[in-house]
Amino acid sequence: MSSLSTRRCPTCNRTYTDLSLNFCLQDGSPLVSDAPRVLDPNATSRDAPARITNEPPPTEIYRPQEARFNQAASQGQSRPATPQWSPMPALEPRKRSNAIWWALGTIAVVTVIGIGLVVMVLALASMSKNENANTANTNSRVAVRNRNTNNDPNVPSETNTNTNTNTDTPLPASFTDDFSADKWKTGNFQYGDIWYTDEQYHMRSKEKTYLVMYAPSGDYNTENASVSVTARSVDGTSPISGYGLIVHGEKSKDNQLEDYALLVYTGTEPQYEVIMHKAGNQTTVIPWTKSTVLRSGTNPNQLEIRTKGTDLSFYINGRYLTRITDQENFKRGVAGLYTSESAEVVFDDLEIHRQPDSRE
């Protein structure tokens, strides 16, 4: 019998007969000594013979750090913790300041308040500027006329005969002008052209303005009278800001227009309007109103205004439209004619029928 001394790896159970080895060549664990075994060549062993190998282990990646760790453990030293990789030192999250939000909120509030003030100022200015305009009238003709109205009379002074006479001579009960005689002023003026053709009175204003012509004498006085005239568009194109009949027309002391007028628009949607001139300024009394009694295109319309004291009633083609009160006391004036923009219009058959006690 003989004995055999070996060393064993407690991790992988590999045994080594080379007693000079202290660490396992497979995993680097410290080797432990086994008790010497007695070998009996005649004895039959149930156990499988111990795996003895002096051959070098399979090739593997060398782990020097792991070996050092195992060596340190065999010497009673604690194994150092594996360091955690980080590209840079961890930084404490930066706290956001609330100051910027307060600043942004303040700027937003100030901006909203500023916009509100600007809107309010513009609205007040617009209301003040258009206090005499009727906001219900959205027709584009109103915008055109208001944009181009001039404080000065739009008729030269030589075309407006002074009709204010102070005699007590009774006026005739009826007065007619069929425009067969050239009584009214004609010519090319600053605001348009006026002429006679085929015993009719033609008027054409310039663009973006209007043209007014008062009657040539006091015979055309409109106090307590029914005043009518026939009017039509020459080519069917209606002046965009209307055309029509004037009553109580008279120049003020400073040579400004003062009157009332019934205007019509005879385009695709016929409408009428009542306006007033005072000190040369034109304002709307009755806004543009659609009417089925108006004829469109080149068809003539009879415009009529009936005055009685301070009451003024308006008719088209014999049909009543509306009425107003003369609060400016313009009753001493005469008849007149009005047109706007550049469309040519024609007037004919002016008639004035007065009450028996009517005086100039």
Side-chain angles (χ1 to χ4, degrees), residues 340-354:
S340 63
E341 296 303 317
S342 58
E344 181 182 348
V345 295
V346 172
F347 296 95
D348 200 3
D349 298 328
L350 175 65
E351 297 182 1
I352 302 176
H353 301 279
R354 302 183 179 91

Side-chain angles (χ1 to χ4, degrees), residues 3-81:
S3 61
L4 177 63
S5 297
T6 61
R7 287 193 170 189
R8 180 176 55 82
C9 176
T11 300
C12 65
N13 286 325
R14 183 184 295 273
T15 60
Y16 297 91
T17 58
D18 187 353
L19 301 180
S20 64
L21 295 176
N22 293 321
F23 299 96
C24 177
L25 297 178
Q26 181 67 24
D27 54 28
S29 298
L31 300 177
V32 296
S33 299
D34 290 336
R37 299 180 62 184
V38 177
L39 300 178
D40 185 359
N42 298 321
T44 302
S45 176
R46 294 182 179 180
D47 298 330
R51 185 174 58 180
I52 300 174
T53 176
N54 289 325
E55 296 97 6
T59 304
E60 65 173 357
I61 299 175
Y62 179 57
R63 298 182 177 85
Q65 185 177 11
E66 186 71 19
R68 288 197 300 270
F69 290 160
N70 293 332
Q71 183 178 6
S74 66
Q75 297 176 359
Q77 300 177 6
S78 60
R79 175 171 174 156

Side-chain angles (χ1 to χ4, degrees), residues 16-197:
Y16 297 91
T17 58
D18 187 353
L19 301 180
S20 64
L21 295 176
N22 293 321
F23 299 96
C24 177
L25 297 178
Q26 181 67 24
D27 54 28
S29 298
L31 300 177
V32 296
S33 299
D34 290 336
R37 299 180 62 184
V38 177
L39 300 178
D40 185 359
N42 298 321
T44 302
S45 176
R46 294 182 179 180
D47 298 330
R51 185 174 58 180
I52 300 174
T53 176
N54 289 325
E55 296 97 6
T59 304
E60 65 173 357
I61 299 175
Y62 179 57
R63 298 182 177 85
Q65 185 177 11
E66 186 71 19
R68 288 197 300 270
F69 290 160
N70 293 332
Q71 183 178 6
S74 66
Q75 297 176 359
Q77 300 177 6
S78 60
R79 175 171 174 156
T82 303
Q84 187 175 21
W85 181 83
S86 176
M88 58 191 307
L91 299 178
E92 182 179 357
R94 182 177 180 181
K95 296 182 179 180
R96 294 186 177 182
S97 174
N98 292 329
I100 187 171
W101 297 110
W102 284 103
L104 292 176
T106 302
I107 293 173
V109 171
V110 171
T111 301
V112 171
I113 294 175
I115 293 174
L117 291 175
V118 171
V119 171
M120 183 175 65
V121 170
L122 292 176
L124 292 175
S126 178
M127 290 174 62
S128 175
K129 182 178 179 181
N130 299 287
E131 61 182 356
N132 291 324
N134 190 311
T135 56
N137 182 11
T138 59
N139 193 287
S140 62
R141 296 188 296 281
V142 176
V144 171
R145 187 179 62 248
N146 288 342
R147 184 176 64 247
N148 300 288
T149 298
N150 196 303
N151 285 336
D152 296 328
N154 62 353
V155 181
S157 59
E158 68 270 13
T159 67
N160 287 277
T161 304
N162 187 350
T163 60
N164 186 13
T165 59
N166 295 313
T167 65
D168 293 330
T169 304
L171 293 171
S174 297
F175 179 84
T176 301
D177 186 350
D178 61 3
F179 297 100
S180 59
D182 296 358
K183 298 179 182 180
W184 296 58
K185 286 287 185 178
T186 59
N188 305 114
F189 304 109
Q190 179 182 357
Y191 295 96
D193 305 321
I194 304 173
W195 69 98
Y196 279 92
T197 299

Side-chain angles (χ1 to χ4, degrees), residues 145 210-214 241-249 258-264 272-278 282-288 303-305 307 312-315 321-322 324 330 334-339:
R145 187 179 62 248
Y210 59 87
L211 180 63
V212 168
M213 178 59 68
Y214 289 164
S241 293
Y243 61 106
L245 174 65
I246 291 174
V247 295
H248 298 345
E258 292 187 331
D259 57 60
Y260 291 98
L262 170 62
L263 305 183
V264 295
Y272 70 88
E273 179 189 37
V274 176
I275 65 168
M276 178 184 71
H277 292 112
K278 182 178 179 181
Q282 178 170 303
T283 57
T284 299
V285 180
I286 301 293
W288 286 106
L303 313 181
E304 181 180 0
I305 304 175
T307 69
L312 282 76
S313 301
F314 302 88
Y315 297 78
L321 301 175
T322 187
I324 64 171
F330 289 163
V334 299
L337 303 173
Y338 178 110
T339 191

